[in-house]
Amino acid sequence: MKFGVNILNFGPGTDAGTLLGWARFAEDEGFHFAMISDHLAVTPDVAKQYPAPFYDPFTALAWLAGRTSRIALGTTVVVLPFRHPLEVARMAADIDEYSGGRLIFGVGVSWARREYAALGVPFERRGAITDEYLEVIRRCWTEDVVSFTGEHVAFEEVSVGSASAGRRRPPIWLGGPSGAALRRTVRYGDAWHPLNLRPAQIRERLPALRAMAVEAGRPVPAFAPRLPLRVTGSPLPEDERLAGQGTLGQIHGDLLALADLGAEHVLFDTYPGTPAEMRPPEEDRRMLRTVADAILDLDRGEVRR
């Protein structure tokens, strides 16, 4: 298994120095990857949960690619309908090139209706737009010249201009727990990247994902969950807590279960869920060190048993 750190790229006190601090922490402590989230227009519905400043994932990752050497870097997740797919394909391919093939391309559709309105993108069509854009991006990464005609975008004889186009592409991780998200993962993704699920929900949805892949005649996507990490002094109720939350013993059990379920990557997210609960980065990093020291063998990529 590979273990990663979510870089908090929003909120008061966040700046270029804190972004770099997160990336260096991940690399220096022996984690395997670091990821960064996405919102483009911080409308009131977004700000209630993710206040400004909110740093763009593409520009941040391009910069961090040159300031790191080992860890993979990724998006958790790009809200794909917000940007033209040719622009996204080129930016992501360039970052993959700058980093020497270290990019993980995580994709989602988001929930922020007012943000969609601000950007002039129809909220009700976000799933269909995401599917179409994924088709465009995959083709841009695997073909030298692409022509495409769809409901939401059309163009002829375009190259994204990346030196790696047609030779390699970043792995695509798809977020979301819904049936549509699982079908999207089977069709376009290399891994399913869910967030905020209870252990029982993970056990329920993985067989559905595998069944969809078998029915479609496609490889079963890998499993790469994002866990909202929270360490408590006393146990949390099993029927209420999310995977990754509770005592060290509960979190240890979650990680062992994820290993047994075939998880290949686990991303730790220290954001507590609301701006009022945000901690200084040093406190979050202490929590990550505690979990790593007590539960993980980062050198071997294993959960201690």
Side-chain angles (χ1 to χ4, degrees):
M1 296 173 72
K2 294 183 178 180
F3 302 98
V5 172
N6 185 49
I7 295 175
L8 300 186
N9 60 323
F10 55 86
T14 303
D15 57 21
T18 61
L19 299 183
L20 181 57
W22 276 111
R24 285 182 169 166
F25 166 83
E27 192 155 76
D28 292 346
E29 294 293 323
F31 288 91
H32 307 105
F33 63 106
M35 304 186 83
I36 194 166
S37 56
D38 180 33
H39 280 284
L40 185 54
V42 184
T43 50
D45 51 346
V46 174
K48 285 179 65 175
Q49 190 167 353
Y50 306 110
F54 202 114
Y55 286 84
D56 176 77
F58 291 107
T59 55
L61 290 177
W63 177 53
L64 295 176
R67 305 299 293 270
T68 57
S69 59
R70 182 185 57 82
I71 54 171
L73 299 166
T75 53
T76 180
V77 288
V78 165
V79 186
L80 198 54
F82 287 173
R83 303 170 181 86
H84 195 286
L86 291 175
E87 178 186 22
V88 174
R90 179 162 190 172
M91 289 191 297
D94 284 351
I95 294 169
D96 192 55
E97 187 83 13
Y98 301 154
S99 65
R102 290 187 283 136
L103 181 68
I104 299 168
F105 185 63
V107 171
V109 300
S110 187
W111 46 268
R113 185 181 292 269
R114 294 179 70 175
E115 188 176 14
Y116 271 89
L119 295 167
V121 180
F123 182 79
E124 294 76 10
R125 297 293 297 162
R126 65 195 188 281
I129 294 171
T130 298
D131 290 348
E132 190 170 296
Y133 285 12
L134 280 166
E135 180 69 29
V136 169
I137 290 167
R138 284 179 60 103
R139 289 189 56 190
C140 285
W141 286 346
T142 55
E143 302 174 22
D144 292 330
V145 178
V146 177
S147 297
F148 186 87
T149 301
E151 181 180 353
H152 303 96
V153 65
F155 54 86
E156 292 185 0
E157 298 183 347
V158 170
S159 169
V160 300
S162 169
S164 62
R167 298 204 311 271
R168 69 160 187 258
R169 65 167 179 82
I172 300 172
W173 293 6
L174 275 298
S178 68
L182 295 181
R183 288 189 291 274
R184 183 174 298 118
T185 302
V186 167
R187 185 173 181 183
Y188 299 108
D190 301 291
W192 181 43
H193 182 53
L195 167 66
N196 288 346
L197 292 182
R198 294 186 173 88
Q201 291 174 310
I202 294 173
R203 291 192 295 271
E204 290 169 2
R205 283 167 171 74
L206 277 175
L209 179 70
R210 292 170 181 144
M212 289 178 186
V214 170
E215 182 178 357
R218 295 177 178 269
V220 178
F223 179 38
R226 173 174 154 189
L227 303 186
L229 187 65
R230 177 186 168 201
V231 180
T232 61
S234 56
L236 298 179
E238 287 296 329
D239 60 345
E240 297 178 7
R241 72 183 185 90
L242 300 174
Q245 298 184 339
T247 62
L248 284 173
Q250 287 178 306
I251 296 169
H252 189 195
D254 290 341
L255 292 170
L256 288 173
L258 291 174
D260 291 341
L261 288 169
E264 296 183 6
H265 293 74
V266 173
L267 178 67
F268 295 115
D269 182 359
T270 59
Y271 181 54
T274 65
E277 298 175 288
M278 286 186 76
R279 299 172 292 264
E282 295 77 14
E283 291 187 22
D284 286 345
R285 292 168 194 162
R286 280 198 294 270
M287 180 169 61
L288 286 161
R289 285 192 189 98
T290 297
V291 169
D293 291 344
I295 297 174
L296 307 178
D297 185 333
L298 292 173
D299 289 336
R300 301 180 64 179
E302 295 178 351
V303 182
R304 299 184 191 277
R305 294 183 180 267

